[in-house]
Amino acid sequence: MLQVKYDREQLLNVIQNVTNKTLDMDLTWDWPCGVAYYGVSRAYQTTGNQEILDRLVKWADEYIELGLPSWTVNTCAMGHVMITLYEETGDQKYWDIVMSKVDYLQNHALRFGDRVLQHTVSTANDFPEQAWADTLFMAAFFLLRVGSKLKDEAMIQDALNQYYWHIKYLQDPGTGLWYHGYNNVNKGHMSGFYWGRANAWGAYTMSQVKPQLQEWYLYPQCMDVECSLRDQLAAIKLLQTDNGLWRTVLDDPESYEEVSASCGIAAAMINNGNPLHTKYVQKALEGILSNISQDGRVLGVSGGTAVMKDRDGYRNIPKDWIQGWGQGLALAFLSDLLR
């Protein structure tokens, strides 16, 4: 068991500040909001603050009345907060949205190979037969949550199939680190960099598999998830900077430190529960807190990032703006630490 030292009241105050700032952002129904409001939902579950839930309900109801966008892999990230709203309010309209996203992913979303979800950011075929680590958070983890809730074995198997093939496509067996993307047409990793946030998407969502499945050991794919996460974290811990963070290209000493990736990676270490990771989580906590402003802005978060063409493409992504995914992953990290 990890033995991380922290001031609980201080962290609760930080969570409230980050939550308030996140809810004040003009986020739209897409993946930045999906990740942000996943974190806000975790903050609500951690604090029990009814005001958080009320603000989520108000935002969702207003957006539903205005009209929802077409579904893509990225917009399915909003399914996470819809699960929470249904569980907390019992309002069927939220669950209907959840199931419409499930229907899209199972029956309409672009797939390739062994029914692997192609990463989609619009209704166009933007990235033919490409698997991105992002898809695990936006779609596979979401499907796993719904399948587990419904005890739907076919849905659980579909979700675990996504994990299995993303591991096979994206994890470098030599280093244990994850590539950003895989192109099935060319059978390669495109520019081939170990992008920090891709590793966070992989690590965080893999760390959520066991908590979602009571009898996880009866699913053979879970053995792959367990071993993949073990090898990934063993490699990642060695790349932590002196400031307790990880870089936007993990093994590139000239890349800047990136806070959203650091939050996802540290949260995965917490959820994985290896006591030998205590010192890395402790160091990450200090580094992350030093990058959260008093008014709840998570700093040092890189902008939205496609699979870039070269190293400079990753190095030059701006990190000067508040981002929904930075807010959400910080809230997930702090909430996991306090649970």
Side-chain angles (χ1 to χ4, degrees), residues 4-22:
V4 181
K5 298 178 182 179
Y6 55 82
D7 182 325
R8 183 175 182 85
E9 290 305 313
Q10 177 199 13
L11 295 193
L12 286 172
N13 184 62
V14 173
I15 286 174
Q16 191 61 56
N17 290 341
V18 174
T19 298
N20 288 340
K21 189 64 178 180
T22 305

Side-chain angles (χ1 to χ4, degrees), residues 72-310:
T72 65
V73 163
N74 271 354
T75 55
C76 282
M78 288 298 300
H80 288 292
V81 69
M82 293 296 107
I83 295 173
T84 300
L85 291 183
Y86 173 71
E87 290 175 341
E88 295 299 326
T89 68
D91 193 325
Q92 184 64 35
K93 70 173 178 282
Y94 302 128
W95 191 248
D96 289 344
I97 293 171
V98 168
M99 294 310 297
S100 73
K101 291 177 183 290
V102 168
D103 175 68
Y104 163 76
L105 290 172
Q106 290 190 318
N107 301 311
H108 307 288
L110 294 171
R111 298 194 181 216
F112 66 91
D114 290 81
R115 288 195 49 76
V116 180
L117 285 166
Q118 175 179 309
H119 191 74
T120 53
V121 302
S122 75
T123 54
N125 186 7
D126 301 289
F127 306 106
E129 296 195 29
Q130 289 186 20
W132 293 16
D134 313 49
T135 299
L136 288 181
F137 187 95
M138 315 307 164
F141 176 32
F142 166 65
L143 283 175
L144 186 64
R145 290 184 68 190
V146 180
S148 178
K149 184 177 179 65
L150 296 177
K151 295 181 172 54
D152 185 320
E153 288 299 318
M155 198 182 306
I156 291 171
Q157 290 292 344
D158 189 13
L160 292 177
N161 185 61
Q162 303 308 316
Y163 280 91
Y164 176 84
W165 281 107
H166 280 75
I167 289 168
K168 295 299 182 185
Y169 287 147
L170 298 178
Q171 188 168 30
D172 177 10
T175 65
L177 302 175
W178 279 47
Y179 296 105
H180 187 172
Y182 172 80
N183 188 324
N184 190 54
V185 176
N186 300 324
K187 310 298 182 185
H189 298 105
M190 293 169 276
S191 54
F193 292 104
Y194 304 130
W195 183 45
R197 197 156 59 235
N199 279 264
W201 296 135
Y204 184 78
T205 55
M206 287 194 293
S207 78
Q208 292 293 324
V209 171
K210 284 186 182 180
Q212 294 298 322
L213 298 173
Q214 289 185 336
E215 296 183 317
W216 66 270
Y217 45 82
L218 297 180
Y219 297 90
Q221 303 98 320
C222 288
M223 310 300 175
D224 290 289
V225 170
E226 182 180 37
C227 293
S228 172
L229 181 59
R230 177 201 66 199
D231 292 353
Q232 184 193 26
L233 293 181
I236 282 179
K237 72 180 186 184
L238 302 177
L239 298 173
Q240 189 177 36
T241 70
D242 291 341
N243 294 321
L245 303 175
W246 282 270
R247 298 185 182 280
T248 198
V249 177
L250 290 176
D251 60 345
D252 177 12
E254 296 183 22
S255 290
Y256 57 76
E257 295 170 333
E258 206 282 324
V259 176
S260 70
S262 301
C263 290
I265 290 166
M269 288 181 170
I270 294 168
N271 297 326
N272 197 46
N274 186 333
L276 295 175
H277 290 160
T278 295
K279 61 183 178 183
Y280 302 100
V281 174
Q282 186 74 60
K283 197 172 180 180
L285 174 60
E286 296 164 6
I288 290 165
L289 288 178
S290 70
N291 279 279
I292 298 177
S293 68
Q294 289 189 345
D295 66 345
R297 289 174 293 122
V298 180
L299 310 175
V301 175
S302 64
T305 307
V307 180
M308 306 303 287
K309 293 182 178 180
D310 52 34

